[in-house]
Amino acid sequence: MVVSLMQNGLDSRYEGRMNTCRDKICGVSILRAGETMENALRGVVKDCKMGKILIQTNQETNGPELYYLRLPKDVHQYRILLMDATVATGAAALMAIRVLLDHDVPEENIMLLSLLMCETGVHSVAYAFPKVRLITTAVDRELSAQFHVLPGVGNFGDRYYGTEAAVAHYSSSDLEDSEDSD
Amino acid sequence: MSSIGETTDRLRVLPNTDQVKELQTILRDRQTTHSDFVFYADRLIRLVVEEGLNQLPYTKCTVVTPTGREYLGIAFAKGNCGVSICRSGEAMEKGLRECCRSIRIGKVLIDSDPRTNDVRVLYARLLPDIRKRRVLLLYPLLSTGNTVAKAISVLKDSHVSESNIFLLTLFCTPHSVQQLISKFPGVTILTSEVSKSIPQYFGMKYFGTE
């Protein structure tokens, strides 16, 4: 932050503050729940660059997989606001952070923004990447056996967009179901 | 702020974080373009409105989450409304609507004679049951405080009690704060900055008129 002198309409001076990296902020949203936060970021940082990552859980191995990635050019020069509405185990966030580090983004330039995190997720991200800053409105203590946050908020993406999970007997490509377990 | 003294529980100023200071700097800067001015003014307005909503009463309630668990939370009491003082106050209506989707908003038009500093009410449309509601009074700038003082008397004439009036403003002078608090000790004032020099041209710059 830099303090600069400005002149207001009455020709006097005002010592204010200016954000030095306003042009170098980039939001990266983790589909689909993270996209709910994109508008809020655009509403606060005008014309913010936006990247997207889609991570789904592989049904056989239960590990996260990267399906889709779009990042701005020279992403390593930006401060990254990584957005996901809920963080349960932290698996998706960990993979997203690894992807950003693979693109040479310095760890201390990454901030993970979320509405609700679970203690498990907080610990796993903080332990793996101690320089990443975690910002959330609340931290719930428990995870259910299916890796849902308890008491939680439900499936945030479904509730926000008004969609419903596909019926359970589609086992191989049941994207809605796998979204719960991140 | 020491001149405000023991009245500080009636006056709440936004925490002076770097972000807030930056917004104030952009709004005061004469080089700011019109579209930037509107964008950053909307942001500062939104912050003050959110803080204003924090002053309203709430009740504890328990909800059941989709996982079947209970969560002990709070819910804000209904029965609020907004009253904006034309014209500059109307800039703040959007911020209030973004937080409370269908809140009712009354309007008051007050004219002040620049020579005599007299204020007159030209137009007032308030809710018929406003005496039962909490009122968020919207007006971004207080220099003498005369306009707002007149608006508060209009509200009191409609039987709104002072403790139900919350004035939301962006910039005010210490003089106006003293005047309002001594005349209407029950009113709560929320602002982003109290300072001797305030950006007087806010209304003109926001609406792009001369």
Side-chain angles (χ1 to χ4, degrees):
Chain A
M1 295 283 178
V2 170
V3 173
S4 48
L5 291 172
M6 305 286 192
Q7 288 180 309
N8 66 22
L10 294 174
D11 221 32
S12 53
R13 304 184 76 81
Y14 178 79
E15 200 170 288
R17 290 185 88 76
M18 189 171 73
N19 187 333
T20 43
C21 67
R22 219 192 297 156
D23 291 338
K24 286 292 184 182
I25 297 176
C26 171
V28 174
S29 54
I30 301 182
L31 272 61
R32 195 180 40 142
E35 291 182 307
T36 62
M37 300 169 72
E38 282 182 1
N39 281 338
L41 180 57
R42 270 266 163 79
V44 163
V45 181
K46 226 181 176 198
D47 306 325
C48 186
K49 297 233 190 308
M50 291 290 190
K52 278 196 208 293
I53 291 186
L54 173 57
I55 290 170
Q56 295 283 272
T57 311
N58 182 315
Q59 294 292 70
E60 280 112 54
T61 66
N62 256 338
E65 280 182 346
L66 179 66
Y67 273 62
Y68 177 90
L69 176 66
R70 282 284 184 275
L71 292 176
K73 212 165 68 122
D74 299 332
V75 67
H76 58 275
Q77 293 174 0
Y78 289 83
R79 304 264 175 142
I80 307 285
L81 299 181
L82 187 57
M83 303 180 285
D84 192 357
T86 52
V87 173
T89 59
L94 287 174
M95 178 162 239
I97 296 172
R98 269 185 221 115
V99 168
L100 292 173
L101 295 178
D102 283 344
H103 283 76
D104 297 326
V105 179
E107 202 182 301
E108 60 272 13
N109 277 8
I110 303 176
M111 278 190 268
L112 177 59
L113 306 179
S114 154
L115 296 179
L116 179 64
M117 291 195 189
C118 185
E119 246 181 44
T120 318
V122 173
H123 287 315
S124 43
V125 178
Y127 186 72
F129 304 109
K131 294 195 201 150
V132 168
R133 271 170 288 183
L134 304 172
I135 297 167
T136 182
T137 72
V139 177
D140 276 355
R141 313 210 63 162
E142 287 176 64
L143 266 190
S144 72
Q146 294 82 36
F147 304 118
H148 299 154
V149 182
L150 293 176
V153 75
N155 185 321
F156 192 86
D158 272 346
R159 298 186 79 186
Y160 190 90
Y161 291 113
T163 54
E164 264 176 25
V167 179
H169 54 253
Y170 294 117
S171 55
S172 50
S173 57
D174 193 352
L175 292 178
E176 299 305 285
D177 217 87
S178 53
E179 229 187 343
D180 284 345
S181 45
D182 71 333
Chain B
M1 285 281 260
S2 51
S3 59
I4 311 294
E6 71 280 11
T7 53
T8 39
D9 63 329
R10 290 283 125 213
L11 168 72
R12 282 180 212 279
V13 184
L14 285 190
N16 198 359
T17 60
D18 278 341
Q19 280 286 299
V20 170
K21 190 78 179 166
E22 186 193 23
L23 292 177
Q24 292 161 346
T25 308
I26 293 172
L27 294 184
R28 286 172 183 278
D29 188 4
R30 78 159 43 142
Q31 319 263 29
T32 302
T33 62
H34 174 66
S35 92
D36 272 359
F37 189 90
V38 172
F39 182 83
Y40 292 106
D42 281 346
R43 274 190 63 190
L44 190 59
I45 288 168
R46 179 69 183 261
L47 289 177
V48 174
V49 167
E50 298 266 10
E51 193 49 42
L53 294 176
N54 250 336
Q55 308 303 314
L56 299 176
Y58 58 85
T59 52
K60 294 204 164 113
C61 69
T62 305
V63 295
V64 181
T65 75
T67 57
R69 288 289 190 91
E70 284 193 342
Y71 178 80
L72 179 62
I74 63 177
F76 274 95
K78 290 197 190 285
N80 310 310
C81 72
V83 170
S84 68
I85 305 180
C86 304
R87 179 186 60 150
S88 313
E90 294 178 315
M92 301 178 74
E93 285 182 16
K94 177 169 159 229
L96 181 58
R97 277 259 162 72
E98 280 174 358
C99 294
C100 312
R101 263 174 317 177
S102 47
I103 191 169
R104 291 168 224 263
I105 302 186
K107 274 195 209 300
V108 173
L109 174 58
I110 293 174
D111 189 30
S112 64
D113 192 328
R115 288 165 299 136
T116 63
N117 255 344
D118 265 351
V119 279
R120 313 169 288 159
V121 179
L122 292 181
Y123 174 91
R125 274 285 182 275
L126 300 176
L127 281 68
D129 60 349
I130 199 170
R131 68 183 64 196
K132 296 190 247 165
R133 290 177 183 260
R134 282 166 294 276
V135 176
L136 298 170
L137 186 56
L138 310 171
Y139 195 61
L141 291 184
L142 263 61
S143 64
T144 56
N146 291 343
T147 311
V148 171
K150 191 72 179 165
I152 295 179
S153 357
V154 169
L155 290 178
K156 289 184 72 170
D157 288 343
S158 306
H159 308 291
V160 182
S161 71
E162 277 182 22
S163 56
N164 277 354
I165 299 178
F166 303 89
L167 172 62
L168 303 183
T169 171
L170 298 186
F171 301 100
C172 34
T173 56
H175 164 78
S176 64
V177 172
Q178 305 272 30
Q179 198 209 32
L180 286 177
I181 290 188
S182 54
K183 261 189 173 175
F184 308 106
V187 170
T188 308
I189 302 178
L190 281 115
T191 181
S192 86
E193 193 177 28
V194 178
S195 109
K196 290 221 174 68
S197 88
I198 60 172
Q200 300 277 9
Y201 46 84
F202 183 91
M204 294 194 304
K205 253 208 132 153
Y206 190 91
F207 294 108
T209 59
E210 261 318 303

